[in-house]
Amino acid sequence: MTMTDDLGRGSDPLAIAQRWIGEGRKVALATVVETWGSAPRPVGSHLVIDGEGNFEGSVSGGCVEGAVVTEALDVIEGGAAKMLEFGVADETAWQVGLSCGGRIAVHVEPVA
Amino acid sequence: MERDVLTTLNRERAARRAAILVSDFENGISTLYREADTREGALGAALSSAFDSGKSGMVEIDGQKLFFNVHLPSARLVIIGAVHISQALAPMARIAGFDVEIVDPRSAFATPERFPDTVVTAEWPDKVLTERPLDAFTALVAVTHDPKIDDGPIEAALRAGAFYVGALGSRKTHSKRVDRLRASGLSDGEIARIRAPIGLSIGAASPAEIAVAVLAEVIQSLRSRGREQAERAA
């Protein structure tokens, strides 16, 4: 076993990002950069998104992926990175908040 | 992130080499640092500390906010010897998050029946370790009691800088082993890294209890990896 688990299993978001770019798809990479309180995925976790809204990986175990994908499509179109915050203190928490009560910051950037 | 940086990062990860991606979100620049690169100043100190802890996060350096994403290879445990201790150690280590592999050339020992859900290879270690080399993120546990089987992988693990090398055997057995390893050209400093008698001293009696003592010692070495390296260098 010379590869890390995820790389070996083909579900690794960074390996998928590289493959998608190789296939000519437009790609954005979302990364959990800070967490406060209980958060479902640790800092450094990735979600990779293509221009058609396909995605792999996770930044919250399912709580806010939908919102991150929507923002990522903007990032892919516009080319500028964004910092997103989700949590109970946030107004959007009622729509896409973290049920566990934590707060997370997610950075979304184009890979080009 | 630039595509080239992503490709380089993935290459490092596939080769089981530690790397940190440092991102400045203000200017959008991401830079990859490998553990082998020499580093100076405040950034260097922060990188060294992150390589040791394995923790990703925001870091402030000289007033500049940077994001460190630390990529360490997953920890492996290679057990030489498909013995009774290994039957307890393999599932325990798997639960603790290790990639576990057992190697024993004695085909009566190394059977899938004795080791369900574990990668077990009935081959000589030399052959297996050529195909899947040991590295700094691998622990080697040698428990066959047979120098013909144990000595080769112990030597290979020391040369590869495996984060843990443990060998079963009494102090008398170990002192003979030290003589043999010295004769094959290993330094006293390298040989001193072998944990023998194997396992933390918790008074373990049964094979399963010895497995607990061994796994605890492996985890202790994994989590103090950086400290041990610094001590060796000093």
Side-chain angles (χ1 to χ4, degrees), chain A residues 39-112:
Chain A
R41 297 281 289 135
V43 169
S45 303
H46 289 298
L47 180 74
V48 56
I49 307 100
D50 78 0
E52 293 180 350
N54 297 301
F55 64 92
E56 291 282 353
S58 79
V59 289
S60 77
C63 310
V64 301
E65 268 70 12
V68 174
V69 169
T70 306
E71 295 287 345
L73 293 175
D74 265 12
V75 167
I76 288 171
E77 285 304 309
K82 281 186 186 184
M83 189 71 80
L84 312 172
E85 263 195 47
F86 300 97
V88 287
D90 194 90
E91 193 187 317
T92 57
W94 295 107
Q95 298 151 23
V96 294
L98 296 167
S99 54
C100 49
R103 214 148 49 90
I104 62 171
V106 177
H107 185 257
V108 186
E109 63 185 330
V111 187

Side-chain angles (χ1 to χ4, degrees), chain B residues 78-150:
Chain B
V78 176
I79 305 170
I80 307 299
V83 299
H84 205 163
I85 293 171
S86 316
Q87 284 178 292
L89 181 56
M92 285 179 194
R94 205 168 45 240
I95 290 168
F98 290 84
D99 287 341
V100 182
E101 176 172 12
I102 296 174
V103 183
D104 194 325
R106 301 168 299 179
S107 52
F109 285 79
T111 66
E113 288 74 28
R114 284 162 51 78
F115 295 92
D117 308 319
T118 302
V119 178
V120 51
T121 314
E123 295 273 6
W124 282 91
D126 297 11
K127 182 174 186 290
V128 177
L129 299 185
T130 307
E131 287 164 10
R132 296 186 286 280
L134 302 170
D135 60 33
F137 296 91
T138 304
L140 182 98
V141 170
V143 288
T144 69
H145 274 124
D146 184 341
K148 285 198 305 297
I149 306 173
D150 283 350

Side-chain angles (χ1 to χ4, degrees), chain B residues 61-231:
Chain B
I61 292 163
D62 300 331
Q64 191 183 16
K65 285 191 89 178
L66 299 171
F67 177 64
F68 281 20
N69 207 348
V70 185
H71 297 272
L72 299 186
S74 59
R76 284 170 75 204
L77 172 63
V78 176
I79 305 170
I80 307 299
V83 299
H84 205 163
I85 293 171
S86 316
Q87 284 178 292
L89 181 56
M92 285 179 194
R94 205 168 45 240
I95 290 168
F98 290 84
D99 287 341
V100 182
E101 176 172 12
I102 296 174
V103 183
D104 194 325
R106 301 168 299 179
S107 52
F109 285 79
T111 66
E113 288 74 28
R114 284 162 51 78
F115 295 92
D117 308 319
T118 302
V119 178
V120 51
T121 314
E123 295 273 6
W124 282 91
D126 297 11
K127 182 174 186 290
V128 177
L129 299 185
T130 307
E131 287 164 10
R132 296 186 286 280
L134 302 170
D135 60 33
F137 296 91
T138 304
L140 182 98
V141 170
V143 288
T144 69
H145 274 124
D146 184 341
K148 285 198 305 297
I149 306 173
D150 283 350
D151 278 10
I154 289 171
E155 187 181 337
L158 292 173
R159 293 196 192 281
F163 74 85
Y164 176 92
V165 184
L168 195 68
S170 65
R171 285 188 171 78
K172 197 173 149 201
T173 308
H174 187 59
S175 96
K176 285 186 194 157
R177 176 158 46 216
V178 168
D179 292 343
R180 290 192 305 272
L181 292 172
R182 210 176 268 146
S184 62
L186 285 167
S187 74
D188 286 353
E190 285 172 312
I191 293 169
R193 291 194 54 231
I194 303 171
R195 301 301 189 95
I198 198 169
L200 292 186
S201 178
I202 57 170
S206 69
E209 289 175 8
I210 294 167
V212 171
V214 171
L215 182 58
E217 196 173 54
V218 169
I219 292 169
Q220 186 183 51
S221 292
L222 176 66
R223 296 304 168 196
S224 59
R225 198 176 67 89
R227 229 172 19 241
E228 283 188 1
Q229 281 174 342
E231 281 164 14

Side-chain angles (χ1 to χ4, degrees), chain A residues 1-2 12 14 18 112, chain B residues 1 3 10 13-14 16 132:
Chain A
M1 249 162 282
T2 53
D12 175 70
L14 293 178
Q18 189 179 334
Chain B
M1 197 200 305
R3 179 183 178 162
N10 280 340
R13 294 168 69 227
R16 287 182 58 82
R132 296 186 286 280

